[in-house]
Amino acid sequence: MTLEEKFTKLGVDHAPGQEIRQKGPDLLSQGESIPGVPVDFSHGDVDAFPPIPNSLEQFIEGVRVGGRQAYTEYRGSAAIRQDLAAKLSRFTGTSIASADNLILTPGTQGALFLALASIVTRGDKIAIIAPDYFANRKIPEFLEAEILPVTLHYLEQEQGAGLDLSQLEEAFRQGAKAFLFSNPNNPTGVIYSDQEVDAIARLANQYQVTVIADQLYSRQIFDDRAYSHLCRTSIDPERLITIIGPSKTESLSGYRLGVAFGPSRLIQRMEKLQAIVSLRASGYNQRVLRLWFDEPKGWMEQRIRDHQAIRDDLLEEFRRIDGVRVRATEAGSYLFPQLPNLTVSIEEFCRLLRVQAGVTVTPGTEFGKAYTNSIRLNFSQDHQAAIQAVRRIGQMVERFRKSE
Amino acid sequence: MTLEEKFTKLGVDHAPGQEIRQKGPDLLSQGESIPGVPVDFSHGDVDAFPPIPNSLEQFIEGVRVGGRQAYTEYRGSAAIRQDLAAKLSRFTGTSIASADNLILTPGTQGALFLALASIVTRGDKIAIIAPDYFANRKIPEFLEAEILPVTLHYLEQEQGAGLDLSQLEEAFRQGAKAFLFSNPNNPTGVIYSDQEVDAIARLANQYQVTVIADQLYSRQIFDDRAYSHLCRTSIDPERLITIIGPSKTESLSGYRLGVAFGPSRLIQRMEKLQAIVSLRASGYNQRVLRLWFDEPKGWMEQRIRDHQAIRDDLLEEFRRIDGVRVRATEAGSYLFPQLPNLTVSIEEFCRLLRVQAGVTVTPGTEFGKAYTNSIRLNFSQDHQAAIQAVRRIGQMVERFRKSE
């Protein structure tokens, strides 16, 4: 593949947050605008749900510490890794060694890139869930790996995430070297059941597949559902990298912090690569991780309740729109409704929605090419503004509904 | 190349700041320790030379701005890019368009990786200076590009940097797709003369080579020397990416900020890649760039004078050591002395120096495999502690001097 082809494929125009760069004809002229408070569902609103209390104070303390905090090891400050390893061990019910098995990265995006580039290279096969986070496909594509898609029957099946186990095993049988999945799933918000997680462990061991589990939203579980950490199963620990970070529920995205833990061999590769990609997570910013998993009493519980309430209201709004299919979010802040057939493409609909109704969402096609009728919303937003915005989505669906 | 081979090659054990991870026999037992204040010359000391005044206040303002500052475009906040494009246009004497020609990155390391990965791929040839910054070789190696080394005769020649122009032209003639060099040069601290910079421009145009100019230290010029910006020459602007950042002279390394400017086609590729590698430079951190090129009156001048004074004293100390060859730093904070022959390898000497004398330096072999007798020092340190540390280097040279 030439570089030109590679970069043509690697689009960002529809990526969340990049909508501002879209150029084109004056879309406003194609329809009347629907008034309302603009809502950007492409990512969470850290003004509506601010960062963990005292984050800034911790950052300031990092600056006060000075040189030692500015220039940490590439894998991050030893003291902070030690603290985090203990907390993450408790959270996951495992035992993580801070010296060799954990790395701090610039956001979980950084961790994902480093993990993938440490495991797969040109020509390797990798099993990827559809739908799943868009970078899960874009990174392997950039690395020239071959993607074997594995379907999540999230709408058809309400037990577990709806993982197509026979497809997964077939991908492994075809020689997949790696398997990457997010749990809770982005964009659908479903949780993999114990049975599904156990099956992944069993198949990974059987076929010697290295797994990357992106657990970014695993602290924000609704309705007291069960959540199974893959790292706590029978999976060979030499074959698993777990990724997690404080950018979502904890609203620390502006600090760009992520964590990966796994076998020392792979963590070392990730560090070597980080040394030439970005050196390290910003030194002072690392300090903010001290607060993570140590939030004020009741703070996380309240945050989860608040999000569950928004979810309930938005679900109700979406279910009022004729022809919408949507599954209730089980964890995390995403909704992934499937809209009825429209007279415009989903990318075009998203552009129109933004320009005519002040509502920014991400087209489903970012998560898998089959999702031509779906949109993703991050509902970590001002509660009332979000409800009004979904009503405007309903009005826009009527405006562009295809007559059957 | 297999991933295993690739990562075996990609070492970080001797990289600056990673010395803490070196394991091995108890080196202390091999010699008496030499007392003194420990000095880590592997990078600048931001405690001795603190960040631009009010950096922290700008960061705090970024946090106050909130969501808009946390979630910028991948290429960075539009307002900050606009401000920076104007300042960098003035500094370089060119005209940079903020919308299309400039990207903010997590450190200049981030910019370097993105630029290289946007220009060269497997099998492409790239001309690289020896000696030059270690990542300049490591990144192309990771991308499986073929490196064509071009020698800098920095010791033999005192006019300009000592660029071997016939080697450069030969590399271009052999089909180099890209050429990467740092000016001022890291590790030697020499500046490319107007004639050398013009020759690079002329050859790049003639052979259609894309150039990456790393100008990280171009604000810290000693003895009022002339400095020529490649972007201001006759070079085809479609063939040049310039990289610069506030991590060194301005001591903002703990914030991880870098900038690249160049043709929109390549900046767009860099942004696409950034979207899957790290998303963006930390949002709140970007805000600190407001202060860059807008430091308090006299602050930069004082900082340059302070560094020039340290350079003078360290040079004097080094020239007292029999057999040392060293060229005076013309810009930036690096010295790259060549030591006399020793009874141990340069990597071993650096380890012994750290353990027995409390002095951390980077072995010359990180900058090119020929530099088996050289060490690099970043002399942005406490002035008196640095002088004492170089004296201890002298004592250690005597301890391990090879008898002729």
Side-chain angles (χ1 to χ4, degrees):
Chain A
M1 192 164 23
T2 68
L3 266 186
E4 186 61 37
E5 289 163 352
K6 217 159 163 169
F7 278 99
T8 302
K9 210 166 176 181
L10 187 67
V12 290
D13 287 354
H14 302 288
Q18 292 301 99
E19 299 79 7
I20 195 173
R21 297 199 74 78
Q22 291 168 1
K23 290 163 185 166
D26 184 1
L27 294 162
L28 263 171
S29 62
Q30 295 175 29
E32 215 174 312
S33 76
I34 306 174
V37 179
V39 175
D40 184 351
F41 287 111
S42 74
H43 56 74
D45 179 356
V46 299
D47 299 331
F49 289 99
I52 302 174
N54 295 315
S55 308
L56 178 55
E57 286 70 17
Q58 276 292 331
F59 180 91
I60 293 170
E61 178 59 20
V63 173
R64 201 198 57 77
V65 168
R68 240 176 343 114
Q69 188 67 56
Y71 286 91
T72 70
E73 284 176 61
Y74 297 147
R75 59 177 65 195
S77 149
I80 290 168
R81 279 185 290 119
Q82 192 171 7
D83 177 54
L84 264 183
K87 288 168 172 174
L88 288 168
S89 296
R90 272 197 298 279
F91 174 62
T92 57
T94 58
S95 175
I96 304 160
S98 67
D100 295 323
N101 298 126
L102 191 144
I103 184 170
L104 310 186
T105 58
T108 50
Q109 184 71 48
L112 199 56
F113 179 80
L114 298 177
L116 280 164
S118 296
I119 296 171
V120 297
T121 187
R122 172 169 35 98
D124 285 340
K125 289 173 180 161
I126 177 166
I128 303 277
I129 296 291
D132 211 325
Y133 179 50
F134 45 89
N136 290 13
R137 288 193 327 285
K138 289 180 182 180
I139 299 172
E141 276 173 3
F142 189 80
L143 298 170
E144 300 182 45
E146 184 189 336
I147 293 174
L148 306 176
V150 176
T151 310
L152 206 62
H153 303 287
Y154 67 98
L155 273 180
E156 298 73 15
Q157 203 174 308
E158 296 252 333
Q159 290 300 315
L163 175 64
D164 192 320
L165 273 174
S166 62
Q167 261 186 35
L168 184 68
E169 180 158 13
E170 182 53 29
F172 285 11
R173 198 180 286 123
Q174 281 178 37
K177 192 174 169 192
F179 170 53
L180 164 60
F181 75 118
S182 60
N183 181 24
N185 174 260
N186 173 356
T188 66
V190 298
I191 298 176
Y192 288 73
S193 67
D194 286 6
Q195 291 74 20
E196 287 171 323
V197 173
D198 286 341
I200 291 168
R202 182 176 51 75
L203 291 171
N205 288 346
Q206 183 182 341
Y207 292 95
Q208 307 200 311
V209 173
T210 300
V211 181
I212 302 172
D214 172 356
Q215 304 197 168
L216 190 49
Y217 260 126
S218 56
R219 294 186 77 194
Q220 186 176 317
I221 309 285
F222 299 139
D223 312 307
D224 294 319
R225 284 173 180 276
Y227 179 89
S228 175
H229 293 279
L230 181 57
C231 57
R232 216 192 165 176
T233 66
S234 63
I235 193 167
D236 176 358
E238 291 300 308
R239 307 207 158 277
L240 173 64
I241 291 179
T242 304
I243 292 174
I244 187 166
S247 288
K248 300 294 183 183
T249 311
E250 303 85 347
S251 296
L252 291 175
S253 181
Y255 290 92
R256 301 269 75 222
L257 293 163
V259 173
F261 57 91
S264 63
R265 180 181 61 92
L266 294 178
I267 297 298
Q268 197 186 1
R269 282 188 181 180
M270 290 173 69
E271 180 180 43
K272 284 179 170 193
L273 191 52
Q274 179 146 291
I276 61 168
V277 165
S278 64
L279 280 189
R280 61 175 74 78
S282 307
Y284 307 139
N285 302 39
Q286 291 179 28
R287 182 87 192 189
V288 180
L289 289 168
R290 292 261 184 208
L291 298 171
W292 195 30
F293 285 94
D294 207 12
E295 297 84 4
K297 202 170 153 57
W299 187 86
M300 275 297 285
E301 292 76 3
Q302 184 61 48
R303 180 145 291 198
I304 294 168
R305 271 196 304 275
D306 290 345
H307 281 84
Q308 194 168 316
I310 299 173
R311 176 203 66 174
D312 291 344
D313 286 347
L314 298 199
L315 270 177
E316 199 181 313
E317 292 299 331
F318 271 114
R319 284 175 175 152
R320 280 189 189 145
I321 306 170
D322 193 35
V324 161
R325 295 179 70 195
V326 60
R327 183 165 161 186
T329 311
E330 298 170 352
S333 296
Y334 295 120
L335 275 172
F336 195 57
Q338 191 184 91
L339 307 181
N341 288 331
L342 303 172
T343 56
V344 292
S345 75
I346 198 69
E347 292 87 355
E348 183 75 358
F349 181 75
C350 290
R351 267 196 293 263
L352 290 160
L353 188 60
R354 185 166 66 84
V355 178
Q356 296 182 7
V359 180
T360 305
V361 301
T362 307
T365 43
E366 285 287 302
F367 307 93
K369 56 175 187 274
Y371 305 96
T372 52
N373 270 23
S374 302
I375 55 174
R376 189 195 70 173
L377 295 83
N378 183 320
F379 59 77
S380 186
Q381 307 289 343
D382 176 84
H383 195 140
Q384 292 310 316
I387 293 174
Q388 296 303 323
V390 173
R391 287 187 186 151
R392 297 205 295 284
I393 294 175
Q395 290 176 265
M396 289 292 287
V397 166
E398 296 319 322
R399 190 174 284 183
F400 294 99
R401 185 188 289 276
K402 198 174 203 164
S403 48
E404 301 298 319
Chain B
M1 194 165 22
T2 68
L3 264 188
E4 185 63 37
E5 290 162 352
K6 217 160 164 169
F7 278 100
T8 302
K9 212 166 173 180
L10 188 66
V12 289
D13 287 354
H14 301 289
Q18 291 302 97
E19 299 79 8
I20 196 173
R21 296 199 73 79
Q22 290 168 3
K23 288 163 186 167
D26 183 1
L27 294 162
L28 264 172
S29 62
Q30 295 173 29
E32 215 175 311
S33 77
I34 306 173
V37 178
V39 175
D40 184 350
F41 287 112
S42 74
H43 56 73
D45 179 357
V46 298
D47 299 331
F49 289 99
I52 302 173
N54 294 317
S55 308
L56 178 56
E57 286 69 17
Q58 277 293 331
F59 180 92
I60 293 171
E61 179 58 21
V63 173
R64 200 199 58 75
V65 168
R68 239 176 344 115
Q69 188 67 56
Y71 286 90
T72 70
E73 284 176 61
Y74 297 147
R75 60 176 64 196
S77 148
I80 290 169
R81 279 185 291 119
Q82 193 170 7
D83 177 54
L84 263 182
K87 288 168 171 175
L88 287 168
S89 296
R90 272 198 297 279
F91 174 62
T92 58
T94 59
S95 174
I96 304 160
S98 68
D100 294 324
N101 298 125
L102 191 144
I103 183 171
L104 310 187
T105 58
T108 51
Q109 184 72 47
L112 199 55
F113 179 81
L114 299 177
L116 280 163
S118 296
I119 297 171
V120 297
T121 186
R122 173 168 34 98
D124 285 340
K125 290 173 180 162
I126 176 166
I128 303 276
I129 295 292
D132 211 325
Y133 179 51
F134 45 88
N136 290 14
R137 289 192 325 285
K138 289 180 182 180
I139 299 171
E141 277 173 3
F142 190 81
L143 298 170
E144 301 183 44
E146 183 189 339
I147 293 175
L148 306 175
V150 176
T151 310
L152 206 62
H153 303 288
Y154 67 99
L155 273 180
E156 298 73 16
Q157 203 174 308
E158 297 252 333
Q159 289 302 316
L163 176 64
D164 192 321
L165 273 174
S166 63
Q167 262 187 35
L168 183 69
E169 181 157 12
E170 181 53 30
F172 285 10
R173 197 179 288 123
Q174 282 178 36
K177 193 173 168 191
F179 170 53
L180 164 60
F181 75 119
S182 59
N183 181 24
N185 174 259
N186 173 356
T188 65
V190 299
I191 298 176
Y192 288 73
S193 67
D194 286 6
Q195 291 74 20
E196 287 172 322
V197 173
D198 286 341
I200 291 169
R202 181 177 50 76
L203 292 172
N205 288 347
Q206 184 181 341
Y207 291 95
Q208 306 198 313
V209 174
T210 300
V211 181
I212 303 172
D214 172 356
Q215 304 197 169
L216 189 50
Y217 260 126
S218 57
R219 294 185 78 195
Q220 186 176 316
I221 310 284
F222 299 140
D223 312 307
D224 294 319
R225 284 174 180 275
Y227 180 89
S228 174
H229 292 278
L230 181 56
C231 57
R232 217 191 165 177
T233 66
S234 63
I235 193 167
D236 175 359
E238 290 299 308
R239 307 207 158 275
L240 174 64
I241 291 180
T242 305
I243 293 174
I244 188 166
S247 287
K248 302 293 185 184
T249 310
E250 303 86 347
S251 296
L252 291 175
S253 181
Y255 290 93
R256 302 268 74 223
L257 293 164
V259 173
F261 57 91
S264 63
R265 178 182 61 92
L266 293 178
I267 297 297
Q268 197 186 1
R269 283 189 181 181
M270 288 174 70
E271 179 180 44
K272 284 179 170 193
L273 192 50
Q274 180 146 290
I276 61 168
V277 164
S278 64
L279 280 188
R280 61 176 73 80
S282 306
Y284 307 138
N285 302 39
Q286 291 179 28
R287 182 86 192 189
V288 180
L289 289 168
R290 291 262 184 207
L291 298 171
W292 194 30
F293 285 94
D294 207 11
E295 297 84 4
K297 201 169 155 57
W299 186 86
M300 275 298 284
E301 292 75 6
Q302 184 62 47
R303 179 146 291 199
I304 293 168
R305 272 196 303 275
D306 290 344
H307 281 84
Q308 193 168 316
I310 299 173
R311 176 202 66 174
D312 291 343
D313 286 346
L314 299 200
L315 270 177
E316 198 181 313
E317 293 298 332
F318 270 115
R319 284 174 176 155
R320 280 188 187 144
I321 306 170
D322 193 35
V324 161
R325 295 180 71 195
V326 60
R327 183 165 161 187
T329 311
E330 296 171 354
S333 296
Y334 296 120
L335 274 173
F336 195 56
Q338 190 185 88
L339 306 181
N341 288 330
L342 303 171
T343 56
V344 292
S345 75
I346 198 70
E347 292 87 356
E348 183 77 357
F349 180 75
C350 290
R351 267 196 293 263
L352 289 160
L353 189 61
R354 184 167 66 86
V355 178
Q356 295 182 8
V359 180
T360 305
V361 301
T362 306
T365 43
E366 284 287 301
F367 307 93
K369 57 175 187 275
Y371 305 95
T372 53
N373 271 24
S374 301
I375 55 175
R376 188 195 71 174
L377 294 84
N378 183 320
F379 60 76
S380 186
Q381 308 289 343
D382 177 84
H383 194 142
Q384 292 310 315
I387 293 174
Q388 296 302 323
V390 173
R391 287 186 186 151
R392 298 206 294 284
I393 294 176
Q395 290 176 264
M396 290 292 288
V397 165
E398 296 319 321
R399 190 174 282 182
F400 295 97
R401 185 187 287 277
K402 199 175 201 164
S403 48
E404 300 299 318

